[in-house]
Amino acid sequence: MRKTRNQCCLPCGAFMSSTETTPPPDNVDTVDSVTEPDSGRLDGASPLRLFSILIVVILFTEIAPLQYTMVAAALQKMTKTFPTVGGNINWAVIILGVVGASATPLVGKASDIWGKKRLLLLCGLIFLVGAVIDATTTNWTLFLIGRGLSALAIATQFIAYGLVRDLMPRKYVPIGIGMIGAGVGFSGAIAPLVGGYLVDHFQWQAMFWFLAIYTVVLTPLVIFLVPESKIRVRERIDPIGAITLSAGVLFVLLYLDNGQNWGWARPSSLAWLIGGLVLVAAFFAVESRIRQPIMDMKLLANPKVSIVMLMALVGMGITAVQPLALGYMTQTPGSDALRANVVEGVVAQAHQKGANLPAALVHVSLDPGYSYGSGFTMLGYAFHIALWVGVMAVIFGPIAGIVARRTGPRISAIIAFTVLTVSGIGFAVFHYSWVTYLVLAMLGGIAFGFVNAALPNLIVEAVPPEQQGISTGMLGVTMSVGTGGAMAITTALLNNNPVKAHIDVMGHQAVQVIPQVFADRGYTESFWVVVGTTVAALVIALLMRHGRQPATGGARGKS
């Protein structure tokens, strides 16, 4: 049967082929050979081959969550190399969302045109260059350039969703996507252990050497073991759209991150926000009018797609804030230990000036005080917290895929955002102890597994095969903006709640801001913000009509 390009021809925005007017039959394996372009699906392959391909793809896509988890957990240790940046050290992580948000749709579109495997490898190569830069520099600007290049790895996860959809037999697609989501949990478990060992025994730069070597080892396996999808679209890429979206997102995030220092209502500050919003609006206006946009606006307007994007935008913030906050809070020394460190520093400064100052004469009080702080090393944080969070995500990612296959991915989304809401409220209201936070973080790990399976399965079920790359890329945009925005807001709230040391030496007083140590209120406000956005995502999941039927591995996306 002759195929024509998919069109939006129903009032509800559903996608239908101009030659197909009936939905696919329940036997989706039969549908593959009749209604779908040849994607190179491995229907006759052995389970061993399918499993090997899936594992290699998952491991390669792990370069993105590995770098995120390692760097987020090591920020407190990296401040010694970049002592002048203050709370903006968080931009070592925020920049991943900024660049990832702008690059992922472009890369997704390119994967539809030139091949998903090819773009997967290209992103890995660019990541390798960025990792080497970060491993060899102590210049903050150059370091951020390396981080920006490394952010291209974020696109690999979303390319992998389309590649699994194209290559795996239908019945394995929802579970395979769930396993990719579980891979994020694998990173959550292994990254702090590896990163903690490297940082504690060497320097933080060793993390980036590890990431570079990891990429070099995995690349040949992808080249020789993973087939290429045969699906292609004959279109051109719109670079203007990519640049406009990138600049708009960057300006908005700069305003969110620096608004506290600049003044939220100052005209010079608002110019960044207004300029960013104008660029984003211009992006949508231009893309809706050109013949070959980077994003298909009709596709984006389809409620099956747009509602999932909105849910990802507002619901993913807590998945970034939780590991950031836990890494900081558990690795910060307790208040007694911090006061002792300040006293030791004052005595050392006096000694350098030739004075013999007894420690008993130095009195230090903290304003405000703080209740958290376990003084863990990075490796200690990994063993006490991160490992168990990752284990939960690894276990529940495939389970979420099975739930999507049997009852629909919407149920997986409802479970994810319900558990994330409970976990977030716990962080906001319970007094700190690492045991209490471990339990809450493990709940978050369960939810991470479910949400990273639910969202891509919802997209795969909503769009036709030739739109998989750009559609998952669009999902990547909203997830990156959501996490990047939450990180920027958290940075602003933490910077607005510093801890100051009031030092008294025989009547001589001084006040010193303690770098990278923040009052309880900063973390509490951050958690309440992401709880609010997570509740909004839960409401969307409860009301949405899409995803209520069992996942078909993409067969329903052709209807």
Side-chain angles (χ1 to χ4, degrees):
M1 180 167 62
R2 182 176 178 269
K3 291 282 292 180
T4 60
R5 185 178 176 183
N6 284 6
Q7 302 176 31
C8 179
C9 58
L10 291 181
C12 65
F15 285 87
M16 296 184 65
S17 168
S18 60
T19 61
E20 296 171 5
T21 59
T22 59
D26 294 336
N27 187 348
V28 293
D29 290 327
T30 302
V31 173
D32 288 349
S33 61
V34 178
T35 63
E36 180 183 80
D38 182 17
S39 65
R41 192 178 303 281
L42 302 172
D43 285 318
S46 67
L48 177 61
R49 186 186 180 197
L50 294 174
F51 182 76
S52 299
I53 291 171
L54 188 57
I55 291 299
V56 169
V57 170
I58 290 172
L59 289 176
F60 193 80
T61 61
E62 287 309 287
I63 55 180
L66 273 173
Q67 65 159 331
Y68 179 90
T69 307
M70 280 186 174
V71 175
L75 287 177
Q76 202 268 347
K77 308 298 182 185
M78 294 167 61
T79 56
K80 295 180 181 178
T81 304
F82 307 109
T84 61
V85 301
N88 288 326
I89 191 72
N90 289 341
W91 269 87
V93 176
I94 292 173
I95 196 171
L96 298 179
V98 174
V99 177
S102 59
T104 300
L106 179 63
V107 174
K109 185 75 170 184
S111 73
D112 287 332
I113 297 173
W114 296 316
K116 297 178 177 68
K117 174 183 172 180
R118 184 175 298 175
L119 267 294
L120 196 73
L121 291 168
L122 178 61
C123 289
L125 177 62
I126 296 174
F127 171 83
L128 177 62
V129 173
V132 172
I133 290 175
D134 289 334
T136 55
T137 187
T138 56
N139 179 275
W140 177 243
T141 300
L142 190 58
F143 177 80
L144 285 183
I145 292 174
R147 298 298 292 144
L149 293 174
S150 297
L152 267 293
I154 290 176
T156 61
Q157 183 177 358
F158 301 97
I159 297 172
Y161 292 139
L163 194 60
V164 166
R165 185 257 174 230
D166 291 348
L167 297 180
M168 293 290 109
R170 288 280 190 210
K171 62 182 179 180
Y172 294 133
V173 171
I175 300 172
I177 290 175
M179 290 180 66
I180 294 175
V184 176
F186 165 80
S187 297
I190 198 69
L193 293 175
V194 175
Y197 176 83
L198 294 174
V199 171
D200 290 348
H201 290 81
F202 301 98
Q203 296 291 332
W204 60 261
Q205 289 89 344
M207 295 187 304
F208 293 99
W209 284 120
F210 168 83
L211 292 168
I213 295 170
Y214 180 92
T215 307
V216 169
V217 171
L218 265 295
T219 297
L221 297 179
V222 175
I223 293 173
F224 293 110
L225 292 182
V226 180
E228 176 63 280
S229 168
K230 295 182 180 180
I231 291 181
R232 299 286 190 280
V233 294
R234 295 183 178 181
E235 294 182 2
R236 299 176 60 185
I237 292 178
D238 170 32
I240 302 300
I243 294 172
T244 305
L245 177 62
S246 174
V249 172
L250 174 62
F251 290 173
V252 171
L253 289 178
L254 282 172
Y255 170 79
L256 292 174
D257 181 60
N258 295 288
Q260 182 62 42
N261 295 329
W262 294 346
W264 295 106
R266 290 183 61 183
S268 58
S269 301
L270 289 173
W272 290 94
L273 175 63
I274 295 171
L277 294 177
V278 168
L279 286 173
V280 172
F283 164 78
F284 285 105
V286 172
E287 294 293 292
S288 63
R289 287 171 172 78
I290 64 176
R291 187 171 64 88
Q292 293 183 346
I294 188 173
M295 286 185 181
D296 187 339
M297 294 296 107
K298 292 181 180 178
L299 178 65
L300 186 61
N302 181 354
K304 292 182 179 180
V305 176
S306 58
I307 290 177
V308 176
M309 300 293 178
L310 178 61
M311 185 168 60
L313 178 67
V314 300
M316 292 300 293
I318 194 171
T319 67
V321 171
Q322 177 178 305
L324 171 72
L326 290 180
Y328 263 101
M329 298 174 84
T330 57
Q331 294 180 70
T332 298
S335 57
D336 291 339
L338 180 62
R339 280 191 289 267
N341 291 340
V342 174
V343 170
E344 183 179 342
V346 172
V347 171
Q349 289 180 0
H351 181 72
Q352 291 175 357
K353 297 177 180 180
N356 185 14
L357 178 64
L361 298 179
V362 181
H363 300 281
V364 176
S365 61
L366 301 179
D367 178 29
Y370 62 96
S371 62
Y372 63 90
S374 301
F376 290 155
T377 63
M378 185 174 171
L379 190 59
Y381 162 70
F383 277 117
H384 286 86
I385 304 288
L387 172 63
W388 308 108
V389 177
V391 168
M392 292 297 101
V394 167
I395 293 173
F396 284 92
I399 292 175
I402 295 172
V403 170
R405 180 181 170 187
R406 293 183 176 178
T407 65
R410 170 179 167 271
I411 295 298
S412 293
I414 291 173
I415 293 172
F417 292 118
T418 298
V419 177
L420 282 172
T421 298
V422 172
S423 175
I425 291 174
F427 282 118
V429 302
F430 288 127
H431 293 296
Y432 174 84
S433 78
W434 75 263
V435 176
T436 301
Y437 276 35
L438 168 63
V439 174
L440 295 172
M442 290 176 68
L443 285 176
I446 294 172
F448 294 168
F450 271 90
V451 76
N452 283 298
L455 295 177
N457 266 307
L458 285 165
I459 292 296
V460 166
E461 292 298 303
V463 301
E466 59 270 21
Q467 296 278 2
Q468 289 294 322
I470 183 58
S471 299
T472 53
M474 290 158 62
L475 176 64
V477 170
T478 55
M479 292 174 69
S480 294
V481 172
T483 55
M487 291 281 290
I489 293 172
T490 296
T491 299
L493 292 173
L494 293 179
N495 284 338
N496 192 39
N497 291 276
V499 171
K500 300 177 182 179
H502 291 260
I503 305 169
D504 186 299
V505 181
M506 297 184 295
H508 298 280
Q509 298 181 348
V511 178
Q512 175 183 340
V513 175
I514 306 298
Q516 308 309 317
V517 179
F518 307 101
D520 291 349
R521 180 178 176 180
Y523 288 107
T524 301
E525 290 176 347
S526 299
F527 282 124
W528 279 123
V529 168
V530 292
V531 164
T533 58
T534 305
V535 170
L538 175 58
V539 171
I540 293 171
L542 289 169
L543 297 178
M544 72 186 300
R545 300 189 61 81
H546 175 49
R548 295 182 180 230
Q549 296 178 320
T552 63
R556 193 170 287 112
K558 303 191 300 299
S559 61

